[in-house]
């Protein structure tokens, strides 16, 4: 489709984007291998290989010639009157955005920040092992300082957090997210407190032994059945599950297996990663090797993973299809568990200290805490040294649990050590969007529940392809959401979903 664009500058940009994308894919593959199959002693060489590629990619993406091509192509667009929503115009818009973001930040800053975060990661690991935040504090202090400098490269801004957030969620404003989260927090805390008054559900059967070899076959069969294309993707193992991809035709998922925690470790994390993977496999193949390849944002990506993991995977209709298959695959293990008990078990609400183990009702509260602390640090309202105490107090306030040490509190996530301030909100935004998208999808496919009960997922996937996946990065997150749902970002559908589902489970 881009062949017909009559602008030499555009064609130059396109060629460069393809080149950058190929080196990016090579780096991605090295990174994937690092987490899956690389022998431990390969680390030092791998770091050199990755940084050589990163440097090459940076040079090819930020060279002055790219800026000249962009300016010329934009002039051609103007002169020829391209439709602003055409693929070519959007290609230019995204390429311009990427270029400006990459070139506003001085190379010296990038080099120093990368040195700082690789040191910070080491010290974070040590601090976490010794459960002592003080070992990590000086590095975090420096990361916050450098992130303040970073925000200044994008001045003027409405809020110092905007340039950071925008790096993960293009076009999203801090004020929008804060307003959304304020209502969400109030309502989710109220719902949680109501649930905690009620008798707890039993989920002990989820931790019975499920032989790992059979887990592997089962997960693969389920993913394949639900629409993940193993001719264009893989499922491997890693310490922390993730998804990556080097093309729409090569999307890699990972998971992990533990005999006595099949659902917590392998099953639901695989559904989650599959949601990311289906998005990756669903982008318009004509966007390959252009700036429009990939997902709209981390938030939109997370809306897909959470939709498959929770809205589908933890629904009664889906479990009605799944449970007999589980019984066949693991004879005897779940014979005494009926659908109702199984549904309640996989949806158990239990305030916990660790974000990655949180249920649907408490998950966003972990995120809001992190975002509020990031903002407070950037604004200088909270000092790094006081962070553990502020963290613990807020955990008690919202979730009623208090970490006994820093490892299960402020040190649990790697994001800050990586310098990734502004990242966390995307998880909660994904949850909120997933419910909006689900609502729109159910309007268009009124019998989706019956389809899931029958193990039919093709219409569901086709709808997501049509309304979200195929656009890749062409539209900004809020545009994608608007197109798919006809709505602005709003928390009501998510709150309605939680209240209905958990009201029924806990008899509220
Ligand atoms: Zn995810």
């Amino acid at each position: 489709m881009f062949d017909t664009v009559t602008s030499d500058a555009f064609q130059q940009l396109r060629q460069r984007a393809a080149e950058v994308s190929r080196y990016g894919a090579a780096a991605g593959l090295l990174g994937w291998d690092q987490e899956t199959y690389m022998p431990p002693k390969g680390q030092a060489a791998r770091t050199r290989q990755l940084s050589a590629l990163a440097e090459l990619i940076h040079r090819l993406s930020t060279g002055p010639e790219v800026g000249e091509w962009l300016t010329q192509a934009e002039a051609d667009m103007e002169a020829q009157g391209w439709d602003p929503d055409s693929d070519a115009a959007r290609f230019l818009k995204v390429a311009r955005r990427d270029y400006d973001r990459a070139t506003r930040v001085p190379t010296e800053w990038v080099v120093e920040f990368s040195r700082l975060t690789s040191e910070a990661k080491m010290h974070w690991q040590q601090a976490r092992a010794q459960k002592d935040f003080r070992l990590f504090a000086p590095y975090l202090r420096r990361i916050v300082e450098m992130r303040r400098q970073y925000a200044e490269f994008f001045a003027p801004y409405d809020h110092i957090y905007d340039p950071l957030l925008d790096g993960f969620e293009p076009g999203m404003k801090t004020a929008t997210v804060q307003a959304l989260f304020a209502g969400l927090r109030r309502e989710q805390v109220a719902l949680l407190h109501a649930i905690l008054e009620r008798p707890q559900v039993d989920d002990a059967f989820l931790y019975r032994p499920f032989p790992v070899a059979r887990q592997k076959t089962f997960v693969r069969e389920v993913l394949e059945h639900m629409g993940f294309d193993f001719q264009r993707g893989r499922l491997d193992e890693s310490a922390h599950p993730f998804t990556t991809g080097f093309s729409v035709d090569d999307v890699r998922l990972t998971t992990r297996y533990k005999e006595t925690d099949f659902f917590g470790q392998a099953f639901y994390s695989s559904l989650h990663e599959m949601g990311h993977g289906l998005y990756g496999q669903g982008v318009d193949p004509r966007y390959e090797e252009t700036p429009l390849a990939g997902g709209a944002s981390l938030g939109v990506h997370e809306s897909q993973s959470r939709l498959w993991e929770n809205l589908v995977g933890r629904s009664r209709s889906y479990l009605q299809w799944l449970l007999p298959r589980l019984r066949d695959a693991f004879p005897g293990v779940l014979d005494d568990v009926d659908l109702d008990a199984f549904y309640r078990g996989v949806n158990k609400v239990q305030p916990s200290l660790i974000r990655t183990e949180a249920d649907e009702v408490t998950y966003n509260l972990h995120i809001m805490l992190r975002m509020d602390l990031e903002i407070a640090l950037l604004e200088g309202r909270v000092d790094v040294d006081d962070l553990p105490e502020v963290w613990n107090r807020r955990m008690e306030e919202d979730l009623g649990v208090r970490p006994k040490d820093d490892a299960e509190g402020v040190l649990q996530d790697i994001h800050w050590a990586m310098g990734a301030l502004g990242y966390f909100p995307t998880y909660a935004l994904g949850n909120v969007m997933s419910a909006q998208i689900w609502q729109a999808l159910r309007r268009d496919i009124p019998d989706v529940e019956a389809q899931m009960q029958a193990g039919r997922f093709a219409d569901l996937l086709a709808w997501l392809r049509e309304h979200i996946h195929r656009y890749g990065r062409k539209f900004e997150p809020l545009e994608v959401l608007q197109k798919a749902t006809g709505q602005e970002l709003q928390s009501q559908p998510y709150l309605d979903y939680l209240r209905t589902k958990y009201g029924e489970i806990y008899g509220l």
Side-chain angles (χ1 to χ4, degrees):
M1 70 176 89
F2 297 114
D3 286 333
T4 56
V5 177
T6 50
S7 158
D8 288 347
F10 182 88
Q11 296 300 343
Q12 301 266 36
L13 279 171
R14 190 179 153 211
Q15 209 178 334
R16 177 61 61 89
E19 206 180 333
V20 166
S21 145
R22 289 165 199 161
Y23 291 125
L29 183 57
L30 288 178
W32 170 83
D33 175 72
Q34 187 174 28
E35 304 297 327
T36 49
Y37 294 106
M38 189 189 77
K41 289 192 172 169
Q43 190 59 50
R46 184 55 47 89
T47 305
R48 290 194 298 273
Q49 296 151 4
L50 280 167
S51 70
L53 279 170
E55 204 186 306
L56 178 63
I57 289 168
H58 183 76
R59 190 146 32 87
L60 290 172
S61 335
T62 57
E65 69 281 8
V66 180
E68 285 157 24
W69 295 332
L70 273 169
T71 310
Q72 185 54 50
E74 283 160 355
D76 295 342
M77 170 170 72
E78 184 77 29
Q80 298 171 16
W82 302 357
D83 171 359
D85 277 346
S86 65
D87 289 317
R90 289 292 181 146
F91 174 122
L92 269 190
K93 192 177 171 191
V94 174
R96 163 61 73 188
R97 180 191 141 82
D98 290 347
Y99 180 76
D100 285 350
R101 279 199 74 88
T103 52
R104 275 206 192 199
V105 183
T107 312
E108 309 84 74
W109 188 96
V110 175
V111 172
E112 198 192 329
F113 195 67
S114 134
R115 197 179 306 131
L116 171 63
T117 51
S118 71
E119 253 186 280
K121 269 184 279 181
M122 269 164 34
H123 289 270
W124 167 76
Q125 264 166 2
Q126 281 171 8
R128 196 165 77 143
Q130 296 180 36
K131 304 176 179 179
D132 187 354
F133 178 71
R134 285 170 304 178
L135 300 175
F136 174 56
Y139 299 91
L140 183 56
R141 183 180 298 283
R142 186 75 191 114
I143 284 171
V144 172
E145 274 165 23
M146 286 200 72
R147 276 304 183 193
R148 279 200 201 110
Q149 290 170 2
Y150 177 87
E152 291 317 311
F153 301 137
F154 296 88
Y157 44 70
D158 297 332
H159 191 287
I160 189 166
Y161 198 64
D162 280 348
L164 278 67
L165 182 61
D166 190 76
F168 302 106
E169 213 52 35
M172 194 69 75
K173 293 287 183 198
T174 307
T176 309
V177 180
Q178 281 178 318
L180 183 86
F181 282 6
L184 209 53
R185 180 179 172 205
R186 202 170 46 239
E187 299 292 329
Q188 287 195 229
V189 168
L191 177 62
L192 175 63
H193 290 170
I195 288 172
L196 293 178
E197 302 284 306
R198 305 290 305 157
Q200 186 52 285
V201 306
D202 175 28
D203 70 343
F205 56 85
L206 296 175
Y207 303 94
R208 291 173 181 169
F210 290 77
V212 165
R214 252 174 279 159
Q215 286 187 32
K216 292 184 182 176
T217 330
F218 187 78
V219 166
R220 194 189 150 100
E221 279 170 9
V222 167
L223 264 49
E224 189 153 35
H225 183 88
M226 291 176 78
F228 186 75
D229 183 352
F230 280 92
Q231 294 301 310
R232 300 193 292 132
R234 290 183 57 88
L235 174 65
D236 294 271
E237 287 176 57
S238 65
H240 302 283
F242 67 95
T243 299
T244 186
F246 324 116
S247 154
V248 286
D249 292 326
D250 190 351
V251 175
R252 313 275 176 111
L253 321 176
T254 70
T255 189
R256 56 187 170 194
Y257 302 94
K258 185 178 169 195
E259 189 174 70
T260 54
D261 189 12
F262 175 36
F263 296 95
Q265 301 294 319
F267 189 76
Y268 280 106
S269 82
S270 297
L271 284 194
H272 180 100
E273 300 308 329
M274 179 195 75
H276 287 301
L278 290 173
Y279 192 178
Q281 290 183 335
V283 175
D284 191 331
R286 293 174 303 177
Y287 294 166
E288 282 274 81
E289 301 188 338
T290 79
L292 302 185
S297 69
L298 291 186
V300 178
H301 241 294
E302 200 66 8
S303 78
Q304 297 307 291
S305 56
R306 299 294 272 181
L307 186 143
W308 288 100
E309 176 191 0
N310 292 329
L311 287 286
V312 174
R314 286 189 163 89
S315 70
R316 192 187 285 273
S317 306
Y318 176 79
L319 297 173
Q320 196 171 335
W321 169 76
L322 186 76
L323 187 56
R325 267 143 204 92
L326 279 166
R327 289 214 183 97
D328 285 348
F330 302 93
V333 185
L334 293 171
D335 284 359
D336 57 336
V337 181
D338 66 13
L339 176 65
D340 193 56
F342 192 65
Y343 172 64
R344 291 152 63 90
V346 300
N347 286 294
K348 181 179 177 180
V349 174
Q350 174 108 67
S352 64
L353 296 163
I354 307 298
R355 172 185 64 87
T356 55
E357 293 166 8
D359 54 74
E360 286 184 282
V361 174
T362 55
Y363 190 90
N364 286 346
L365 300 173
H366 291 265
I367 297 305
M368 295 177 212
L369 171 157
R370 286 157 177 76
M371 175 175 163
D372 288 348
L373 291 184
E374 287 180 353
I375 292 176
L377 285 170
L378 287 164
E379 288 179 339
R381 283 186 289 111
V382 165
D383 188 84
V384 168
D385 291 336
D386 299 328
L387 210 53
E389 181 47 33
V390 179
W391 177 292
N392 294 350
R393 223 184 306 133
R394 169 83 172 252
M395 283 298 290
E396 239 178 330
E397 239 173 79
D398 283 5
L399 289 148
V401 289
R402 190 180 172 91
K404 64 177 183 322
D405 57 53
D406 296 339
E408 54 181 41
V410 68
L411 286 174
Q412 64 183 269
D413 298 305
I414 195 173
H415 302 59
W416 290 345
M418 291 165 52
L421 277 68
Y423 187 123
F424 281 119
T426 68
Y427 292 117
L429 290 170
N431 284 329
V432 169
M433 289 184 213
S434 74
Q436 291 188 255
I437 291 166
W438 188 247
Q439 200 180 50
L441 184 150
R442 284 179 61 151
R443 253 194 323 263
D444 289 351
I445 315 176
D447 68 335
V448 68
E449 302 283 343
Q451 294 193 12
M452 289 194 294
Q453 281 171 25
R456 287 167 43 215
F457 305 97
D459 288 1
L460 205 171
L461 178 55
W463 192 95
L464 295 171
R465 289 258 145 95
E466 169 72 18
H467 292 90
I468 294 168
H469 299 174
R470 68 187 174 104
Y471 293 123
R473 294 177 77 208
K474 180 174 177 178
F475 299 111
E476 287 191 349
L478 294 177
E479 290 180 301
V480 174
L481 190 69
Q482 180 75 43
K483 280 185 171 299
T485 67
Q487 289 176 348
E488 307 279 310
L489 182 67
Q490 52 189 279
S491 58
Q492 204 54 47
Y494 190 64
L495 286 170
D496 290 344
Y497 160 72
L498 289 183
R499 283 205 201 96
T500 308
K501 178 173 178 179
Y502 292 93
E504 195 240 322
I505 293 174
Y506 281 93
L508 302 175

